[in-house]
Structure formats: C-alpha cells, structure tokens
Amino acid sequence: MTTSPDSPQILKAGLVLLDATTSAVQRVVVLQYNPDSLSRSLQVQSATIDSSGGGDRSEVMRLKAPPVETWKIEAEIDATDQLEVGNPTALRAGILPQLAALETIIYPPLATILANHTMASAGMLEILPMEAPLTLFVWGAARIVPVRITDLSVTEDAFDATLNPIRAKVSLGMRVLSVNDLGFEHRGSSIYIAYQRAKESFAAIPTGATVGQLGIGALP
C-alpha cells in the first residue's frame, strides 16, 4: 500500500537533549511509534484552608506557581520491519541501541563517574553532582516542554537468537519543569514560557459557550 502524496505528514514524538548553556542539541530520541495515549496530571499550587479551618484565608484564591504537571506515555519499539529488510544494526543488536538511547538519559556519564572517583581518591573534599543536559519532551510544535524523567520501565517481550531484544514496551514518566523549578535565567524557562503562552492562546480561542448551556439564565 502506497501513501498518497497529499496525505498529511505524521509527526513523531520524542525527546531532545540540550546543553542548557549553549542550547546545542546533544541528542535526539525519536519514538518509533507514537503512543496511543498521553496521560497528564496537574497538581494545583495554591494556598488552601486545612480541614480544621486553619490557614490564611486571604491567600485561598491565589495561585502561587504553575501547577506541578506530570506526563506519562507508553511506547512500543519493534525491530521486525528492520529485520525483514536486513538492517545491519537490527541484525547485530536488535533494539538495544534505541533502548540505550532512552536509558542513558538518566545515567551520569561513565567518564564523569570515573573522574569523580579519581578526584575523591586524590582527597577532594567536595565533588558536586554533574548537571544533566536539559531534556525536552516534544509532542507537536505547540507542546515542547522541559522535563525531568521520573521513572522509566521497559518490558522486553521478544528476542533474537542471541538474546538481543527485538520488541519492547516502554513506560516513561516525566515531570514538567516550570519557571518555578528552573529560575527565569535558565534556558529551560524560556521553553516553558513558550509552552504556557501557547496554552493560553488556545484557551483564548472563542468557543461560543454561555451560561445558558448550563441550564441557568443568570448567576445568583
């Protein structure tokens, strides 16, 4: 079956790793297949009155920061098509390169681990943890968000003759990093601001909704 040239291009979701100082792209991880669903949750950051009636009532309607937003996707990786056409990488390693590209995002580089060990052995009293690259999750042009990966699980469910995985399901949990997390001077904050600005632009599009649609003529 051929694809019509008039068919719209289907964009892929994925991750981009940036140098937060220079904005240089260090790695791009494109998901092989777009997930069927994207689960998001938003935790409101506001002052509240507790169950005993305590708390500052003057703050109850105030939003202190953007919501804590978490995203969850389930993705599939499959080397079947590549194996059928004799792709040399798939034949040699299955989907290990794709899995490694995802997994090493949450590893400190081995070179840094070894360098820190050398410094510790030399008597360095304080060794600061390295700052990871800025990770962006891209789900279309309107939703590019800086994230911290909070959990990653992989279920490998098919293997080749040398036990390389050739099919797997990946569950990826992410926390969106807002200006409240990063500070306004961080490169990720400008990306977050663009994300929230796009969201506010969509919210401003007229929908024609009226209170009459709620079954009331006017508010009390």
Side-chain angles (χ1 to χ4, degrees):
M1 178 179 177
T2 59
T3 302
S4 168
D6 296 327
S7 298
Q9 180 184 9
I10 299 176
L11 300 180
K12 297 294 186 70
L15 296 159
V16 178
L17 273 61
L18 288 185
D19 184 299
T21 302
T22 66
S23 293
V25 175
Q26 297 183 347
R27 186 190 308 172
V28 177
V29 180
V30 179
L31 298 181
Q32 185 179 11
Y33 306 110
N34 283 336
D36 292 330
S37 64
L38 167 65
S39 175
R40 300 187 296 118
S41 67
L42 292 86
Q43 181 181 353
V44 180
Q45 299 299 292
S46 64
T48 58
I49 305 299
D50 61 33
S51 58
S52 65
D56 188 347
R57 294 183 184 276
S58 67
E59 297 289 324
V60 70
M61 297 298 293
R62 298 183 184 276
L63 297 174
K64 293 186 172 182
V68 175
E69 188 171 357
T70 56
W71 295 27
K72 188 88 169 181
I73 63 169
E74 311 285 335
E76 295 184 1
I77 304 175
D78 194 328
T80 302
D81 292 343
Q82 292 92 327
L83 292 172
E84 288 179 351
V85 298
N87 180 285
T89 300
L91 290 171
R92 183 178 69 256
I95 59 171
L96 280 177
Q98 295 95 316
L99 294 177
L102 278 171
E103 293 173 21
T104 53
I105 294 175
I106 56 177
Y107 278 74
L110 184 58
T112 301
I113 295 175
L114 297 175
N116 286 348
H117 173 71
T118 298
M119 289 188 289
S121 299
M124 299 285 288
L125 296 180
E126 182 179 9
I127 300 172
L128 295 176
M130 67 158 291
E131 182 173 348
L134 174 62
T135 303
L136 308 177
F137 181 65
V138 180
W139 188 278
R143 293 196 283 185
I144 303 174
V145 289
V147 298
R148 181 179 72 240
I149 294 177
T150 55
D151 58 275
L152 173 64
S153 64
V154 179
T155 302
E156 302 174 3
D157 51 19
F159 304 87
D160 64 16
T162 56
L163 294 183
N164 292 314
I166 57 175
R167 189 171 66 242
K169 295 182 179 67
V170 175
S171 177
L172 183 64
M174 297 165 285
R175 184 187 187 280
V176 176
L177 300 177
S178 72
V179 291
N180 204 52
D181 300 304
L182 298 169
F184 276 89
E185 302 305 317
H186 195 280
R187 176 68 177 96
S189 287
S190 62
I191 297 172
Y192 176 84
I193 289 170
Y195 163 66
Q196 182 168 333
R197 182 176 289 119
K199 184 174 291 194
E200 292 178 356
S201 296
F202 283 118
I205 296 175
T207 62
T210 66
V211 293
Q213 293 172 299
L214 303 176
I216 57 177
L219 296 174

